[in-house]
Amino acid sequence: MTAATWMPTRPASAFPVFTDIDQAIDVTLGWHRQQRQLEILQEVKRRIELLNRIAHDPAMQAATIAACIRDPIAFINDWCWTYDPRNLAIGLPGNVPLVLRPRQVEFVLWCEARVEGRESGLIEKSRDEGATWVYVARAVRRWLWWDGWKVGIGSRKVDFVDKRGVLDSIFEKARFIIRFLPAFMLPKGFAESEHMPFMRIQNPANGATITGEGGDDIGRGGRSTEYLVDEHANIERPMLVENALSQNVETVFYLSTPRGRGNLFAQKRFGGRIKVFTFFWKDNPDKNFTAQLRVNDGSGERLVTIYPWYEGQKRRKDLKAVTMAQEIDIDYDASVEGILIPKQYVDAAFELDLPGNGQRSGGLDVSDGGADRSVYTGRDGPRVTRHEDVTGTAAHPVDTRVHDLALRDGLQHLHYDRLGVGASITATLVRRSLAGEVPYAVQGIANSERASETLYEDAPDTPAHQRFANYATELWWRLFLRFKASYEVLHNIAHHEPEDCISLTALRGTEEEQTLRQQLTQPTTRRIGQSDRLLIDKRGGDRNAPSPDHAESLMYAFAITPPAEPTKAVGSAGDFVGLMQTMNNLLKGR
């Protein structure tokens, strides 16, 4: 039995060298369509021969089923079909055999590993990579031959999950695959009208089911073996879905194209706690073929390599640049305006390797519970040396863990938010610092207070309090300037002293790296009031976005010593209450 395969992609050297990019696109895409037609024709012939060979041989049919149970790739490559109406416009059939590309093979095996390991996974994808078709195909295999297997499927709208006759809906994809299976594979007693109603596909022989849900009802339909949440980044209330699924299923597949960073999908993607699979267009042999283009940029002719499919997408009038970046290039920042620290600045900080200078400070962002974490950051001058989740337990509270790390890092200063929950958590550290019992100063920062009198070189004539809405915004801006300086040094754009930069190279490969990368690009800026002062929105304009606790810890680590707290006036009510308490204690002999 010859396995399905795909036609090899023509190398760039096999094409002529083009001098016109439109010609390069037309010629190479035309050649690829011809290759695709040949591939489909050969594969249809192969499947007809295969079916004829086993159509009347029960032993071979049993062997075929055994092979499909053993190998999901064999099942899909030999027996599953897909449909794409766009093919009709370019001379290809709408119904085509589903032959897995290399990355799709990896995806099937990755999904199987998640299910067998009883763990969840996240799938980020470029548009039109066939992820849903492939997932549904492997789900149908489980539905056919695994007793009691239950696959749940949900999306932000019911119509996206199941809409009769519309193959864009996920359930119609599953029905399409089942309808094209040979009769000997279908469950005993199976009848389409009875066993494939709205939002449900049932196997009458083994009790396996595929069920669907939409919107806030995702996860409410009882226990499942595995669950696919489609377009997770677009779900309106993702925490409702998250809480429901956590009670009903161990393996959840979160599938989506990006929609900025201020959502639960992005938080999961960069959180470092879930395995991630990426469907990128450059991994697809239907799109990653190349051509050579001769260009003249004023300094002479040179050859450049282009991707004709990608260049063709860029020229589409109906595809905006933001959509292109977000849905094809998997850019999480494409749809977000006013980002304070751009991704390229963050990337530069993870590349620029700077030594410490002996000025050691730390930052602590204390969680108030829920999904937020308590995070500690230690630095030696511009070099961040430590970045850890220090969320406490009864046996190891936050202040104890932070004290141990501060001693280990040789801190001279530790900054925290003294107006938030951090005030109560760090009270012991503050007391010990004031009493001189610890070798570092614990200094509280009031985020909501007035910005300082500091002059910054990007606006040397305007003090910070006239530029920034509050002290927290000033501290975020100081962090931004460090990242900007690191980018400019790394790319030889401008000279900056090392102490004005930031280096995160020590954090590469750590558990917290991806979370920190994501959170640093979450805060956005806007102008407020008649004074037009700058204000930082640390949730990036999305009130449902998680608090950037990792990024705030880093911000505190690089904070300047905060302005002194106002001195209480003599004879204030607070002093009077204190004096009366002292007098009462003396009268009672305490």
Side-chain angles (χ1 to χ4, degrees):
M1 187 182 299
T2 303
T5 186
W6 63 92
M7 299 296 294
T9 298
R10 186 174 184 176
S13 59
F15 291 115
V17 175
F18 296 97
T19 57
D20 181 80
I21 191 169
D22 292 325
Q23 182 189 33
I25 294 171
D26 291 342
V27 170
T28 55
L29 290 181
W31 176 87
H32 192 78
R33 280 195 293 270
Q34 293 176 353
Q35 290 294 101
R36 184 75 174 123
Q37 287 174 323
L38 179 59
E39 176 193 25
I40 293 172
L41 177 63
Q42 291 180 349
E43 177 59 15
V44 171
K45 288 180 178 179
R46 188 193 72 85
R47 293 197 180 192
I48 291 173
E49 292 172 0
L50 173 61
L51 191 55
N52 284 335
R53 196 158 58 242
I54 66 176
H56 305 292
D57 189 334
M60 288 194 68
Q61 292 174 6
T64 297
I65 290 176
C68 292
I69 293 174
R70 183 173 61 252
D71 183 4
I73 308 305
F75 169 70
I76 296 173
N77 277 352
D78 283 344
W79 302 108
C80 292
W81 291 69
T82 183
Y83 179 79
D84 188 343
R86 295 172 299 181
N87 285 349
L88 301 174
I90 56 175
L92 297 175
N95 294 3
V96 293
L98 179 51
V99 179
L100 298 174
R101 273 36 183 165
R103 190 60 174 160
Q104 292 173 330
V105 170
E106 294 175 15
F107 175 60
V108 171
L109 300 178
W110 181 85
C111 287
E112 293 297 307
R114 303 287 76 73
V115 170
E116 297 296 336
R118 302 171 73 177
E119 62 181 356
S120 295
L122 180 143
I123 306 117
E124 60 178 6
K125 64 184 181 72
S126 298
R127 174 196 283 187
D128 196 27
E129 287 301 312
T132 306
W133 275 105
V134 175
Y135 178 86
V136 167
R138 61 157 295 277
V140 167
R141 169 178 169 267
R142 289 283 188 170
W143 171 84
L144 282 169
W145 296 302
W146 271 259
D147 292 352
W149 200 269
K150 183 179 178 183
V151 179
I153 297 176
S155 191
R156 62 189 178 95
K157 290 185 178 180
V158 169
D159 282 355
F160 296 163
V161 182
D162 194 2
K163 190 171 184 180
R164 283 287 188 175
V166 179
L167 272 168
D168 288 336
S169 70
I170 300 173
F171 265 67
E172 278 297 276
K173 289 179 171 67
R175 294 187 184 101
F176 183 90
I177 289 173
I178 292 170
R179 290 180 187 124
F180 272 78
L181 291 174
F184 70 83
M185 280 190 182
L186 294 176
K188 185 177 181 180
F190 178 77
E192 178 177 337
S193 59
E194 180 181 353
H195 297 115
M196 292 203 297
F198 180 69
M199 289 288 224
R200 186 174 183 86
I201 300 176
Q202 183 176 0
N203 185 327
N206 65 9
T209 57
I210 302 174
T211 59
E213 297 164 320
D216 293 343
D217 290 330
I218 293 175
R220 308 282 176 186
R223 299 186 181 277
S224 299
T225 314
E226 60 178 283
Y227 205 104
L228 173 70
V229 184
D230 185 52
E231 291 301 337
H232 183 266
N234 293 298
I235 290 177
E236 187 174 354
R237 285 175 283 273
M239 287 311 301
L240 290 178
V241 173
E242 186 78 2
N243 294 334
L245 289 173
S246 67
Q247 304 300 314
N248 293 326
V249 62
E250 291 181 322
T251 301
V252 182
F253 293 104
Y254 304 93
L255 172 67
S256 192
T257 52
R259 192 181 68 86
R261 292 179 178 265
N263 53 69
L264 186 59
F265 183 78
Q267 181 188 7
K268 287 180 175 293
R269 165 61 180 90
F270 297 102
R273 293 182 173 86
I274 188 171
K275 289 186 170 61
V276 176
F277 190 93
T278 302
F279 264 122
F280 191 50
W281 68 267
K282 280 190 178 180
D283 297 321
N284 187 345
D286 290 331
K287 301 174 181 178
N288 65 9
F289 51 92
T290 60
Q292 295 291 313
L293 183 68
R294 192 184 305 278
V295 299
N296 192 327
D297 56 7
S299 59
E301 286 191 347
R302 59 189 178 91
L303 292 180
V304 297
T305 300
I306 64 168
Y307 294 92
W309 176 87
Y310 184 74
E311 294 298 329
Q313 295 296 303
K314 287 166 62 175
R315 281 160 173 71
R316 285 175 50 182
K317 295 181 179 180
D318 64 329
L319 196 60
K320 296 180 180 179
V322 167
T323 305
M324 181 87 179
Q326 181 172 272
E327 298 194 6
I328 293 180
D329 290 327
I330 315 183
D331 187 346
Y332 285 79
D333 298 324
S335 62
V336 182
E337 296 181 356
I339 291 175
L340 174 66
I341 307 175
K343 178 179 180 295
Q344 61 266 33
Y345 288 10
V346 175
D347 292 342
F350 276 96
E351 293 297 323
L352 184 63
D353 195 1
L354 297 174
N357 61 12
Q359 301 299 312
R360 297 183 176 91
S361 297
L364 175 65
D365 184 69
V366 181
S367 162
D368 58 358
D372 295 344
R373 315 299 295 171
S374 295
V375 183
Y376 164 89
T377 300
R379 71 176 177 101
D380 182 354
R383 183 178 183 84
V384 175
T385 55
R386 189 188 304 277
H387 186 77
E388 292 186 15
D389 183 335
V390 292
T391 305
T393 63
H396 298 90
V398 172
D399 58 349
T400 300
R401 296 183 65 184
V402 171
H403 175 64
D404 292 342
L405 293 175
L407 291 180
R408 194 179 308 171
D409 293 340
L411 294 192
Q412 296 151 347
H413 302 93
L414 175 66
H415 295 142
Y416 73 100
D417 180 8
R418 65 178 170 85
L419 296 184
V421 67
S424 59
I425 298 296
T426 58
T428 302
L429 287 177
V430 173
R431 178 185 59 76
R432 295 182 67 186
S433 173
L434 293 174
E437 297 174 4
V438 296
Y440 53 88
V442 181
Q443 298 172 325
I445 288 175
N447 288 333
S448 60
E449 286 189 352
R450 181 177 182 265
S452 72
E453 300 289 335
T454 306
L455 298 173
Y456 295 96
E457 63 179 22
D458 62 311
D461 298 325
T462 308
H465 70 86
Q466 294 182 16
R467 301 178 58 193
F468 307 119
N470 51 34
Y471 192 54
T473 297
E474 179 183 356
L475 295 183
W476 278 109
W477 190 257
R478 289 174 59 86
L479 192 64
F480 156 74
L481 292 176
R482 283 186 176 273
F483 276 96
K484 180 175 181 287
S486 295
Y487 176 82
E488 292 177 346
V489 169
L490 183 69
H491 295 282
N492 298 315
I493 297 172
H495 171 76
H496 296 277
E497 296 298 329
E499 56 265 28
D500 295 329
C501 300
I502 181 171
S503 173
L504 301 177
T505 56
L507 305 185
R508 290 189 305 210
T510 63
E511 183 178 345
E512 287 81 10
E513 176 186 351
Q514 293 303 325
T515 301
L516 181 59
R517 283 180 179 270
Q518 181 266 323
Q519 290 190 4
L520 283 169
T521 59
Q522 179 173 304
T524 56
T525 64
R526 58 187 175 91
R527 299 285 178 176
I528 62 169
Q530 293 182 350
S531 62
D532 202 34
R533 286 186 175 92
L534 192 72
L535 178 68
I536 297 296
D537 183 347
K538 66 181 183 179
R539 296 183 187 271
D542 186 345
R543 60 184 179 84
N544 294 316
S547 176
D549 34 54
H550 287 259
E552 284 195 286
S553 171
L554 186 73
M555 179 263 283
Y556 289 139
F558 283 93
I560 54 176
T561 301
E565 296 183 41
T567 303
K568 293 180 180 178
V570 177
S572 68
D575 285 336
F576 182 76
V577 171
L579 289 172
M580 291 300 297
Q581 183 65 52
T582 301
M583 184 181 71
N584 286 334
N585 289 340
L586 291 172
L587 290 173
K588 295 178 181 178
R590 292 201 293 240

